[in-house]
Amino acid sequence: MFGLTFEKLLIIGVIAVFLLGPERLPHYAAQLGRLVRSLRDMANGAKDRMREEMGPEFDEVDWKQLDPRQYDPRRIIRNALSDADPFAYEPPKPVVARASVNENSAYLQRKRKREALGAGEPAPFDSEAT
């Protein structure tokens, strides 16, 4: 929750006690309680309104599947551009990168030279290398 740990909240509470003093602290605590209660009532009101407008389909929706933290951006774009059902679950497919192999690449040439060296034979030395 916004990176606040219990220790940080405790420190904020102690600072509030010192700043507000014992006379004003109960008043501000009551205001905070009313604010939290009104926010909870608004959230429940929005949920009830959604349930009324969507009807019985509201309870059938799998809300965890619609959690944006579970989406892969590439899959979101792919689903938006396709004609498939956007709410159908499809497991991610493994991505395999394939590249053409150049038999004359420097890496393969060095690898062949290393494999061609016998046991105890020194590696080739390039005097012009930096």
Side-chain angles (χ1 to χ4, degrees), residues 87-117:
F87 299 113
Y89 175 74
E90 62 180 64
K93 298 175 184 171
V95 177
V96 178
R98 299 186 189 275
S100 61
V101 178
N102 183 1
E103 294 296 327
N104 295 325
S105 69
Y107 171 75
L108 290 177
Q109 289 175 4
R110 285 191 307 269
K111 185 176 178 183
R112 277 190 233 113
K113 285 181 184 177
R114 262 184 281 145
E115 291 172 352
L117 292 177

Side-chain angles (χ1 to χ4, degrees), residues 26-130:
H27 173 70
Y28 286 111
Q31 281 186 336
L32 179 64
R34 281 193 294 269
L35 174 69
V36 169
R37 196 174 307 116
S38 68
L39 290 175
R40 185 177 39 200
D41 291 341
M42 281 193 287
N44 287 336
K47 186 176 178 182
D48 292 338
R49 184 172 177 193
M50 283 288 293
R51 184 171 277 123
E52 287 174 9
E53 291 181 5
M54 287 185 67
E57 297 172 0
F58 181 80
D59 294 326
E60 296 172 6
V61 174
D62 183 16
W63 296 106
K64 289 185 181 182
Q65 184 180 3
L66 298 176
D67 185 5
R69 293 174 289 182
Q70 295 181 3
Y71 280 127
D72 179 23
R74 293 171 295 220
R75 189 170 59 140
I76 293 172
I77 293 170
R78 188 177 345 107
N79 289 345
L81 296 176
S82 72
D83 294 331
D85 181 18
F87 299 113
Y89 175 74
E90 62 180 64
K93 298 175 184 171
V95 177
V96 178
R98 299 186 189 275
S100 61
V101 178
N102 183 1
E103 294 296 327
N104 295 325
S105 69
Y107 171 75
L108 290 177
Q109 289 175 4
R110 285 191 307 269
K111 185 176 178 183
R112 277 190 233 113
K113 285 181 184 177
R114 262 184 281 145
E115 291 172 352
L117 292 177
E121 189 176 342
F125 179 75
D126 186 5
S127 61
E128 295 178 3
T130 55

